[in-house]
Amino acid sequence: MAERVGAVIFQRQQRALLARPDIAPAIAAVRVPALVVAGDRDRICLPEDARALARQVTGAQFHTIRHCGHLAPMERPGAVTMLLREWLRR
């Protein structure tokens, strides 16, 4: 993906990610249904970090997608769709 967007845009994206504010204190205030999904092979947002995030949101559900990295909707669209459909039926 970095090659596709080019070096300048990729660098801008990385600077924006590094400069974004920490929202951790606000996570516990979330009071809406939440689904947290992580790829079991994600090395950017580790599954254990995603699980910890889900524990901070009251009533959140957590799911891991097997054989998946950081971009679950692109890597495993069928699995993501199935999870979302099941979750939305609740």
Side-chain angles (χ1 to χ4, degrees):
M1 189 172 0
E3 290 175 1
R4 187 176 52 193
V5 299
V8 172
I9 292 174
F10 181 75
Q11 289 171 357
R12 275 193 229 149
Q13 290 171 335
Q14 297 311 303
R15 280 194 297 275
L17 286 171
L18 290 170
R20 68 184 174 181
D22 180 12
I23 62 163
I27 296 297
V30 173
R31 296 287 183 257
V32 296
L35 173 64
V36 179
V37 178
D40 66 347
R41 297 179 180 171
D42 192 336
R43 298 299 166 246
I44 295 172
C45 297
L46 301 176
E48 51 270 20
D49 293 337
R51 186 181 299 277
L53 171 73
R55 282 195 299 265
Q56 293 176 37
V57 177
T58 302
Q61 290 186 13
F62 174 78
H63 290 277
T64 303
I65 298 179
R66 293 173 39 98
H67 311 293
C68 185
H70 184 65
L71 300 172
M74 292 173 66
E75 296 174 43
R76 302 288 312 276
V80 171
T81 299
M82 183 184 73
L83 280 173
L84 286 170
R85 284 182 174 163
E86 289 175 12
W87 185 73
L88 290 168
R89 281 190 207 121
R90 314 183 305 129

